[in-house]
Amino acid sequence: MDINHFSSEKSVQDFYIKVSSKISAGFTVKERNDNLPFAILSREAKVINHTFNFVLFCLTFGLWSIVWLYLTFNYAKEKRILIAIDEDGKTFVESCY
């Protein structure tokens, strides 16, 4: 593995730890470059059962609308993240839309 001069072994290990933790959380690797190093991961959008949520909305007299809106806006679209090592050797995670 060819690593740039600004990446120390500790920062590379931290990078791989963060990538593996995101993979265990349900993300898949879409693009990866070990020379820079960076990785783009994505999690597919989940299908929201609106019929079931509407029934719960009716049964709880509208209280379920808070949960329903949260599910709709946070899980109904694909989520992409970038994990990389910056010039200072620190690993960062950034959302990509």
Side-chain angles (χ1 to χ4, degrees), residues 22-35:
K22 293 294 183 179
I23 289 173
S24 66
F27 285 88
T28 57
V29 177
K30 293 295 182 181
E31 186 177 341
R32 178 176 153 182
N33 187 339
D34 288 332
N35 293 331

Side-chain angles (χ1 to χ4, degrees), residues 43-50 53 64-79 97:
R43 182 172 52 197
E44 298 297 321
K46 294 183 181 178
V47 178
I48 306 297
N49 187 347
H50 292 288
N53 283 295
W64 188 255
S65 64
I66 298 167
V67 177
W68 189 6
L69 289 172
Y70 177 79
L71 291 173
T72 301
F73 288 116
N74 288 328
Y75 292 107
K77 58 185 172 184
E78 180 184 21
K79 184 174 184 179
Y97 292 103

Side-chain angles (χ1 to χ4, degrees), residues 16-29 41 83:
Y16 285 117
I17 288 171
K18 288 192 180 192
V19 169
S20 64
S21 69
K22 293 294 183 179
I23 289 173
S24 66
F27 285 88
T28 57
V29 177
L41 294 92
I83 302 176

